[in-house]
Structures are given as C-alpha cells and as structure tokens.
Amino acid sequence: MKFPAILAAALVVAACGKPAAPGATGTLNIYSARHYDSDKVMYDTFEKETGIRVRFRESGAPELIETMKAEGDDSLADVIIASDAGTLFRFQDAGFTQGIRSETLETAIPAHFREPDGNWFGLAKRARIIVYDPSRLQPDDVDQYSDLGDGKLHGEVCMRSSSNIYNLSLMGEFIGRWGSDKAAAWARNVVANFARPPQGGDTTQIESIAAGECSVALINHYYWVRMATGTDAEKAKTARTKLSFPEQDGVGTHINVTAAAVAAHAPNKENAVRFIEWLTTPEGQKLLTDETKEFPMIVGVPLPDGLEALPDFKQSQFPLQQLGENQAEAQEIYDRAGWN
C-alpha cells in the first residue's frame, strides 16, 4: 500500500515538528533508528554549515521499515541511519537502500566496514566484548568467545535475548568463521551455562554481574564506558567488573558499526551523499560518537571521553555484510538451542 506524498510528509512533520518540502533544493530528510540528543546537535551543525535544511524522524528500526513500506515510492527518506550492520541489511533486503559511489567514503572507510555495492557505510565502531567478575574468574577463563560455553562456567553466564540484533550479528560472524555445526554447538553450550533466562539489555548484564547474580556476560563496549563515566552508583557497579576483548591471539574481537545508507527513493540524493560524507569529517565523527561512546571510524579522530580506559585491541575484519546474510540462520540456531 502506498501513502500519498502529502501524508508521507505529515509523518515527517509529526516526527520533528518542522514543515516538509518534498524534493526542495537544500533539504535533507533523515530516518534514524538512533535516539541521542547529540544527534540533534549533529543535524543542526550540518544545517548551519551547509544551508541544507535537515528534517529527521527517529524511531525503532522495525517501525521505520514499516513506515517505508507504507510510503512506498513516495517515501521522503533521503538517509537511513541505524546501529548494527545486521539492521542495515534489513533495510537493504526490503529494497529501501540504493548503492552509491563516493570516492570520499571509499577512501575513508575500510572495505569490510561498508557494503560492497555502496548500499551502506559504517561510520562508527562498537566491539562486542565479555564483561566478568574478577573475584570469581581469571582473565584466561574468558579470553575467547568459546569460553562462554565451557562447562567450568556452568550457572555463571548472563545474557540478553537471542533476538537482539547484537547477538544475531555475533552469531552471524561465528557461522561465517566456524561453520553452522560449531556455531550451533557453541549456542547449546552457552545455554547450558545460563545463570538465569535471558533478560534485559546490555546494561542489565553489567548490573547482574555487579549484584553477584552471575559472573560473565556479553556486552557492547560502550554500555560499560557510559556507566564507568556516569553516576557514582554506576561507577561503583563497573568497578566490580572487568572487560575481556576476546580472540586477541586469533582473528580479533567482533566489531560492528553504526552505519548510514542513501534511501532507495531519496528525493535529495546529492544532499544525502553530502551528509554521509560529512559524517567522516573530524567534526562529524566527534558529534556522532561523543555521547554514544562508540569508536570513531576515521583514523586520527580523538576518542570520546572514557574510551582511553580501554586497551588497544585487535579487531576482527570479518565482512560485515555477511552478518545480515547469516541473520536468519543465526536466529534458527539460537531457537534450536533454547536461547529465547
């Protein structure tokens, strides 16, 4: 079903409170699955520097996908922003992105951090790491992802739901590196080590370890950094934990991205490309990562406060488009393992 252009415009107005002007010169419409106050500053800065008027819609990725399905060819979206390559795959698989060529982006962003045909470009990095209780475990107990399935950790593992995109993408890399059988065995072994049924988000896992409910979990690095630079209560919780960056003697720690794509029916394609290119500048990178505590994509950009506490670490160079391609199988593996 297609919505009339006037109704599609109204959806954007409802989201950001500014009147829309479809296809107007100097306009950029952003559909973002991120929810940070700093993003509004980022949009405002780009608008002031370029004179391009920015309108944005923020919602969860599933809601944005449904909106774009309803809008059809009349969608006003110029840029799609989402966290996790697996999420961008969902937009691409639904036909909502288009491949572009940009010497700026292809030079600035390593090939394994962008979709081969230019359907999306990684702009900030996040590591999926292990957090643990150092009073109950030693560093070499948790220096490999496979350790989470070791019988010595029986009753010690906390996790969030398998349907979470971060866990699906991690499994997508395991399928690509290990093969389906070994990846499935890992999932079964981890489930056998659960301290409790999967629940909460990554912050919940840190809090559970600090409370003594379990001794180890998987998280994205920035959840820990935000707490470690947060309130006194949050700092006290992270002080009871330590971090492990797995696979340092092998392929490196799993890395994912916040990425942006040019929408399939972008009415302002040139402005969309210009905005994504701007996000690779030092200013764009700073605004994109300072609040989130992600790693800047571009070499030489200063790290956000708090990241200096993390060690240098070897990063996996697994092709991120395969995370999405393996997504359906990843969910099937988790489901068969009983990881809800």
Side-chain angles (χ1 to χ4, degrees):
M1 164 178 156
K2 294 183 181 179
F3 280 20
I6 188 170
L7 181 53
L11 290 171
V12 177
V13 171
C16 64
K18 296 181 180 180
T25 301
T27 300
L28 179 68
N29 299 311
I30 297 172
Y31 281 25
S32 177
R34 284 167 47 110
H35 311 278
Y36 298 101
D37 290 340
S38 57
D39 283 4
K40 298 175 180 62
V41 177
M42 181 172 71
Y43 303 148
D44 186 57
T45 301
F46 177 78
E47 183 175 281
K48 288 178 179 177
E49 289 187 6
T50 64
I52 296 171
R53 190 170 186 185
V54 177
R55 301 177 180 84
F56 60 91
R57 180 188 188 97
E58 291 182 345
S59 190
E63 291 76 19
L64 290 177
I65 288 173
E66 289 305 310
T67 294
M68 295 183 75
K69 285 180 181 177
E71 292 173 340
D73 294 352
D74 295 323
S75 177
L76 295 177
D78 294 309
V79 171
I80 300 164
I81 301 176
S83 300
D84 197 283
T87 300
L88 268 296
F89 172 83
R90 294 176 179 178
F91 283 95
Q92 180 185 349
D93 193 49
F96 297 150
T97 67
Q98 61 174 293
I100 63 167
R101 297 300 306 271
S102 163
E103 183 177 352
T104 297
L105 296 175
E106 291 166 12
T107 300
I109 301 169
H112 57 281
F113 288 135
R114 47 186 165 86
E115 199 277 329
D117 294 322
N119 277 281
W120 51 259
F121 295 85
L123 297 165
K125 298 183 289 185
R126 64 266 305 282
R128 193 139 188 84
I129 60 176
I130 295 173
V131 58
Y132 66 98
D133 181 344
S135 72
R136 297 164 70 174
L137 297 175
Q138 297 300 311
D140 59 1
D141 291 330
V142 288
D143 61 359
Q144 310 290 326
Y145 291 111
S146 59
D147 290 333
L148 298 175
D150 193 300
K152 67 187 177 185
L153 295 184
H154 181 72
E156 300 290 340
V157 177
C158 283
M159 288 288 179
R160 66 188 296 171
S161 169
S162 67
S163 62
N164 172 259
I165 192 64
Y166 307 149
N167 284 340
L168 287 172
S169 289
L170 180 65
M171 176 58 76
E173 178 164 348
F174 292 166
I175 292 168
R177 289 201 183 278
W178 297 347
S180 299
D181 290 344
K182 183 176 178 180
W186 177 82
R188 292 193 300 270
N189 292 337
V190 173
V191 169
N193 286 340
F194 280 171
R196 54 160 171 73
Q199 58 187 260
D202 283 12
T203 300
T204 304
Q205 314 315 313
I206 300 169
E207 293 173 337
S208 296
I209 293 171
E213 297 172 12
C214 51
S215 64
V216 64
L218 284 170
I219 60 167
N220 284 355
H221 78 274
Y222 50 82
Y223 289 99
W224 189 92
V225 174
R226 290 176 198 165
M227 290 181 67
T229 56
T231 66
D232 288 344
E234 290 171 331
K235 291 175 181 177
K237 291 174 183 177
T238 57
R240 300 188 192 111
T241 69
K242 287 192 178 296
L243 303 178
S244 169
F245 290 78
E247 316 299 331
Q248 291 305 290
D249 60 351
V251 298
T253 299
H254 172 79
I255 298 293
N256 212 312
V257 292
T258 286
V262 176
H265 304 292
N268 305 288
K269 180 178 177 180
E270 290 184 6
N271 291 344
V273 174
R274 184 174 179 182
F275 175 71
I276 298 173
E277 290 177 341
W278 180 81
L279 289 176
T280 68
T281 66
E283 184 175 29
Q285 286 280 284
K286 177 177 173 61
L287 290 168
L288 188 69
T289 63
D290 263 6
E291 183 178 352
T292 68
K293 306 302 183 184
E294 294 171 284
F295 292 99
M297 177 63 68
I298 307 305
V299 175
V301 173
L303 294 176
D305 290 343
L307 289 188
E308 73 282 351
L310 304 184
D312 290 335
F313 64 99
K314 184 177 181 179
Q315 303 178 15
S316 171
Q317 296 190 15
F318 188 78
L320 294 191
Q321 77 273 12
Q322 292 187 34
L323 305 184
E325 293 167 359
N326 293 338
Q327 195 171 123
E329 183 179 2
Q331 189 64 71
E332 290 173 1
I333 285 174
Y334 282 134
D335 290 346
R336 290 198 302 269
W339 185 329
N340 62 28

